[in-house]
Amino acid sequence: MKTLPPLSSFSRVAVKVTDLRVCVAFLAVVVILVYTSLWAYRQFMSSPPYVDPERYPIRGIDVSAHNGMMNLDAAAADGIEFIFIKASEGDTFRDENFRINYNKATHAGMKIGAYHFFRFDCDGVSQGMNLVKAIGNRHLDLGVAIDVEESGNPAGVDSLQIAKSIQAMADYLYLSGLRVTFYSNRTGYYEYLCETMPGASLWICSFQPTPINAEWTFWQFNHHGRVAGIRGDVDLNVFCGSRQEWQNYLNGSVWPYETPPDSGRTPVAPHH
């Protein structure tokens, strides 16, 4: 049997160069695909829609320690009228800037709410207790919001158990006399909130011209907003209604389900 002659040194080098070129070309294609995917996501999935200021005149932001030190007086002068401030997460974590952000927002004359990042792997009542302790006796014009989203949470937790824990936390907050709003995107709303918390105030995150086919109270429409007094990106929100409806909401109405209750009455929990 005849065998092929061994490759010369020149031939072996040529093969290695060819292999290297193939690897470089492959890596270049991968980089291009990754870049294109990220660009497409930012351009089409997270780009903010046009939000008509005449239809939605009440503008707000939501912030946490990640936004750093802020000049909220400047933000208020830039047209920001309300703010949701992160207070807590899970059953132990407290946002380190909640107190200073609250004081700054109060000085700026903003209407204030506090939000809690809900952890799928923590007991609902314990999370409610953590939030109540974090806000203390501070006045909250907008009450509290429970942030329900899969991003940042562990996978594999039973959906039914998550919904029950959310309900347990909400019940604890209602019994504590707090107005409760639920924050989520479309996926989270239909997975965890739609059936278990009907009629509850909804703060929806959506980058579509129509945020969701459901009633909503607040709409987070931009993750990359720019506001005076804040360095870098900040989340932008609007209230779903006119200035008169905003005043009704501040007076206790559960937009858009009822007229303002009698002065001093605590908004009731939705039936579930």
Side-chain angles (χ1 to χ4, degrees):
M1 180 182 294
K2 294 183 178 181
T3 59
L4 295 175
L7 292 174
S8 66
S9 298
F10 178 80
S11 297
R12 286 195 295 269
V13 170
V15 169
K16 290 181 179 179
V17 170
T18 300
D19 291 342
L20 180 61
R21 287 176 177 175
V22 171
C23 291
V24 170
F26 175 77
L27 289 175
V29 170
V30 170
V31 169
I32 292 172
L33 288 174
V34 170
Y35 176 82
T36 302
S37 299
L38 291 173
W39 177 86
Y41 175 81
R42 187 179 179 94
Q43 185 71 19
F44 300 108
M45 298 299 292
S46 63
S47 293
Y50 172 72
V51 179
D52 187 351
E54 293 188 4
R55 183 176 180 184
Y56 304 115
I58 311 301
R59 302 267 167 148
I61 57 177
D62 59 274
V63 301
S64 70
H66 293 297
N67 295 99
M69 292 295 105
M70 298 173 287
N71 181 346
L72 294 184
D73 289 316
D78 199 22
I80 299 303
E81 299 188 42
F82 70 88
I83 184 170
F84 279 99
I85 305 170
K86 184 174 182 179
S88 54
E89 176 177 334
D91 53 10
T92 57
F93 179 83
R94 311 276 177 82
D95 190 282
E96 62 184 5
N97 283 4
F98 174 69
R99 179 180 298 180
I100 190 171
N101 286 339
Y102 178 90
N103 291 340
K104 287 181 176 182
T106 300
H107 185 270
M110 294 180 181
K111 301 303 180 183
I112 303 172
Y115 80 87
H116 170 95
F117 185 85
F118 186 86
R119 295 287 307 179
F120 291 176
D121 53 352
C122 295
D123 175 71
V125 173
S126 297
Q127 296 195 65
M129 294 173 65
N130 186 31
L131 174 57
V132 168
K133 290 178 181 177
I135 61 179
N137 61 358
R138 295 175 178 84
H139 174 70
L140 297 172
D141 309 276
L142 310 180
V144 297
I146 304 174
D147 178 353
V148 180
E149 52 186 303
E150 294 180 346
S151 177
N153 263 304
V157 183
D158 181 69
S159 296
L160 182 59
Q161 183 57 50
I162 294 170
K164 288 181 178 179
S165 294
I166 294 169
Q167 189 176 87
M169 179 178 182
D171 287 342
Y172 180 86
L173 296 174
Y174 285 127
L175 290 173
S176 299
L178 293 167
R179 165 183 251 170
V180 180
T181 294
F182 295 90
Y183 168 94
S184 196
N185 52 29
R186 294 188 184 198
T187 300
Y189 172 76
Y190 288 116
E191 183 71 22
Y192 307 113
L193 302 173
C194 181
E195 296 183 1
T196 56
M197 305 301 296
S201 178
L202 175 63
W203 173 15
I204 185 67
C205 171
S206 174
F207 307 114
Q208 303 300 317
T210 299
I212 194 170
N213 293 321
E215 301 288 359
W216 53 271
T217 307
F218 297 99
W219 174 17
Q220 184 187 83
F221 64 92
N222 190 350
H223 282 334
H224 308 289
R226 294 287 174 161
V227 173
I230 301 176
R231 296 177 181 176
D233 295 342
V234 64
D235 295 334
L236 300 182
N237 304 270
V238 292
F239 170 76
C240 178
S242 65
R243 290 201 169 273
Q244 182 57 57
E245 289 160 338
W246 175 239
Q247 288 303 315
N248 291 345
Y249 182 82
L250 294 175
N251 289 336
S253 68
V254 182
W255 169 263
Y257 303 104
E258 63 175 35
T259 55
D262 295 335
S263 178
R265 173 183 156 196
T266 300
V268 297
H271 299 292
H272 50 259

